[in-house]
Structures are given as C-alpha cells and as structure tokens.
Amino acid sequence: MSKQLSEETINEIAGHYAAIIRLLGEDITREGLVKTPVRAAKAMAFVTRGYRQDPDEIINGAIFSHEGSRMVIVKDIEFHSLCEHHILPFFGRISIGYIPQGKTIGLSKLARLVDFYARRLQVQERLTKQICDIVAEKLNAAGVIVTCTADHLCMKMRGVEKQLPSTTTTETTGLFSDSASLREEFFASLRH
C-alpha cells in the first residue's frame, strides 16, 4: 500500500545517521553501532511511510451506502508519530465520530487514515485537523469530530522534562461545529 524508499535512498539516509553518530562522539565501528545507521534509516522510512501513501488506495472503495443518520464512533485508535520540531516520538489515541449522509466507511479504513497522517513529521494540532478534514471530504459527512490525546517525548525527555502532562486536541466540521449537544453526546460515549 505504501511505496518503498529505494535502497540508494536508504543508504544515503544511513550515511547521514553515521555522520550524526560520529559527531555525537561515538565510534561508528564499535560492534553495537556498525549496523545502526542502516537500521535507523529503515526505521525512519517505516515511521514516515505516510508520505508515500495515497488515501484513495487506503480507502480502496470501502465506502458504502447507508440510510441511517445517527452518529458512528470509532474510539481509541492508537497512533505513533514524530514531532516535527525535535524528531522525537509522540503517541496516543484518536477517536473519530461522524454523522453519515448516505455513506459509511469500513471501520479499519479510519485506523489506516490515522496512520496515513501520523506516519510523517507532524504536530498534533495538524494531525487532528487533517484526519477530520479527510473523513469529511471522503464521506461528505453531515459532521465529523476528531479528538486526539497524546504524550510527547519532546516534553518528557528534553526541555521541561515533565512526565505527566498529555495534550488533547479536537477538530469538528458541520453539525458537530454547530451543536454543543452533539459534541457532548460524542464525548459522553467516549467515557463508556
């Protein structure tokens, strides 16, 4: 589903990792580090695969006719991403609610769309909005709400080094933007 980076590109990225490791004062020829640049390059390719994916291929026709108009919710979709400011991980859970307007989507496709945007250099605020916008666009939903709660290693292992804070972001479209009661219904269902 995602295009692979070429071996040439992986080797070029590995060369940069080797240079960074040397600049940090390590011996790149040490037994434990000899293969690290290539492993790190392959890991970076994996965790940024969202750049090489196509949302229409992800959805792959899994949009279906639906007569109902009640809220659909998929909660606690776990994700992992990289903070674009420090290239350190942030991770957490995303919940998506939408009100169908003649169409629903295969539930696993929502999780795949989360990964499509999470698997790149990212900020949580944009991640939340991008997921909300693509669900609204692909389903022409009457309303979409997305909430994301995440822990950021850029806060936990550097800078202020605070271990307990998490960050929550929310985006809405359509009926969810207009109706406090719909938003409350969504958040109430997440508590159960």
Side-chain angles (χ1 to χ4, degrees):
M1 199 180 296
S2 68
K3 297 165 186 66
Q4 301 293 318
L5 290 178
S6 70
E7 187 174 337
E8 179 182 338
T9 301
I10 292 291
N11 288 334
E12 185 175 346
I13 294 168
H16 292 289
Y17 274 114
I20 290 167
I21 292 167
R22 264 194 297 285
L23 288 169
L24 292 174
E26 260 292 358
D27 176 6
I28 195 67
T29 64
R30 185 165 60 79
E31 181 183 19
L33 290 176
V34 171
K35 295 181 181 178
T36 296
V38 170
R39 286 192 300 256
K42 288 178 179 178
M44 184 59 74
F46 181 81
V47 300
T48 62
R49 69 185 183 272
Y51 290 122
R52 294 173 298 284
Q53 293 178 312
D54 177 333
D56 290 322
E57 286 181 20
I58 291 168
I59 293 169
N60 193 26
I63 294 178
F64 308 101
S65 296
H66 178 68
E67 296 303 316
S69 61
R70 299 297 299 164
M71 194 182 312
V72 176
I73 299 171
V74 178
K75 67 181 185 175
D76 295 332
I77 302 167
E78 72 273 7
F79 75 93
H80 298 85
S81 193
L82 290 175
C83 162
E84 69 182 34
H85 300 137
H86 303 100
I87 312 182
L88 287 172
F90 70 98
F91 51 90
R93 297 172 322 283
I94 291 176
S95 296
I96 302 169
Y98 70 93
I99 299 174
Q101 194 163 260
K103 297 179 185 175
T104 60
I105 188 169
L107 299 177
S108 70
K109 303 305 182 181
L110 292 174
R112 292 182 191 279
L113 288 173
V114 166
D115 280 348
F116 171 68
Y117 286 114
R119 294 305 188 151
R120 53 186 71 204
L121 302 180
Q122 202 42 289
V123 294
Q124 182 176 337
E125 298 87 343
R126 183 173 59 239
L127 172 64
T128 308
K129 180 167 177 28
Q130 287 172 326
I131 294 164
C132 188
D133 289 347
I134 199 164
V135 172
E137 173 195 335
K138 297 300 181 182
L139 293 181
N140 191 32
V144 177
I145 186 167
V146 176
T147 188
C148 174
T149 300
D151 291 323
H152 294 253
L153 291 189
C154 58
M155 271 188 78
K156 293 179 184 296
M157 55 186 297
R158 59 154 301 283
V160 297
E161 297 185 89
K162 299 301 177 204
Q163 302 307 305
L164 298 179
S166 63
T167 302
T168 299
T169 51
T170 302
E171 283 290 336
T172 62
T173 68
L175 295 176
F176 284 105
S177 296
D178 301 333
S179 172
S181 65
L182 274 178
R183 290 190 302 274
E184 178 50 39
E185 181 182 340
F186 171 77
F187 286 114
S189 73
L190 297 185
R191 293 188 287 271
H192 294 92

